[in-house]
Amino acid sequence: MENLRDEWIAFLRRIADPVLDALGKRELKRSMPVEAKEPERTVCTHMEAFGRLLTGIAPWLELPADDSPEGRLRTEYAEKVRRAIASAVDPGSSDYLWSTEALPHPQFLVDTAFFAHGLLRAPNELIAKLDARTRHLTADLFRRSRVITPCANNWLLFSAMVETALGKLGEWSDLMRIDYALRQHEQWFKGDGIYGDGPRFAWDYYNSFVIQPMLLDVMEQNAARFSDGSSRFETIRSRMRRYAVILERMIAPDGTYPVIGRSIAYRCGAFQALAQTVLRGDLPETLSPAAVRGAMTAVIRRTLSAPGTFDSSGWLRIGLCGHQPGLGENYISTGSLYLASAAFLPLGLPPGNAFWSAPAEKWTSVRVWAGEDFPADHAMQV
């Protein structure tokens, strides 16, 4: 399945190149167009693009170096990303993305957390290889995000993720912020693998955009700090495995999926939780890696190949299938769209992994709607 992997890498590079190339030259703020309904989004949209791109590309960078064409390409991109980080966190940079101008904006916390998540996903290639000054500046901006009080919803996980990354950087991290986010989401669990985004349930993809990927990684990174950490982690893990089953079943034979809920313009990022379950090698027995590969490839093609998806300079535009600005909420801007990169987490698996190497298989909706007999689905209450 080498050609299919190459196709995924080509899509990821198409998303990443404008952001990384501009940041490397310290020209992101000058060159990135800003499509937004709210003019105030200009303050944070460049930070959004970088933080969200990093959370998706990081696992690919983390693969061990090798002398294959892809291995050499990964080495090149890891260096690009480290240069981009240095540019983004340097107060003397024209592309300083965490300036004091941005700090009062609540979005500062959100995309500090996505940046933090990206670092956690590549501890060897990113965290360990940051120079001392960049590492210090990164920790400093993480600490500065503490002045922002998160909303009583998935935003609690942004604070928890920042604290978790501080710990990974060897800094003091606030366990109370972490524990509060974990306990509140336990309170908001609705059943059958789904959490509320706060006390109430809303039909959207926030369990995949934010909640379950961050919840799992925050709990896993901090499990040893709690007497019951292992059991809490296993509960979160089992719920995410069930949610992965639900997401796979939502992918239609043509790669479409229900256009429901807010932030739909994050495109294929709606399947981050499924992608992360693949990356962890933790798919339930009912899901074949090859079938999931086919389903996710169909989604990526459907959401990133439509005419109008990218502008003439290669920047993403608001929409789900092409350019559809009406699908963007007031908080959506050009930078927001780069959460689409989260669909590419399986590139963090080596080419020989079954996800990439196993013969093609049909995914659930293809088989069922072709008339095949198939086992019934059942809810899981944990």
Side-chain angles (χ1 to χ4, degrees), residues 96 135-145 166:
Y96 182 38
R135 191 182 181 106
H136 170 77
L137 291 171
T138 299
D140 181 61
L141 72 87
F142 285 176
R143 284 188 290 266
R144 285 192 290 125
S145 72
L166 274 167

Side-chain angles (χ1 to χ4, degrees), residues 84-100:
I85 293 172
S87 174
V89 304
D90 180 2
S93 167
S94 55
D95 269 343
Y96 182 38
L97 303 186
W98 278 269
S99 66
T100 53

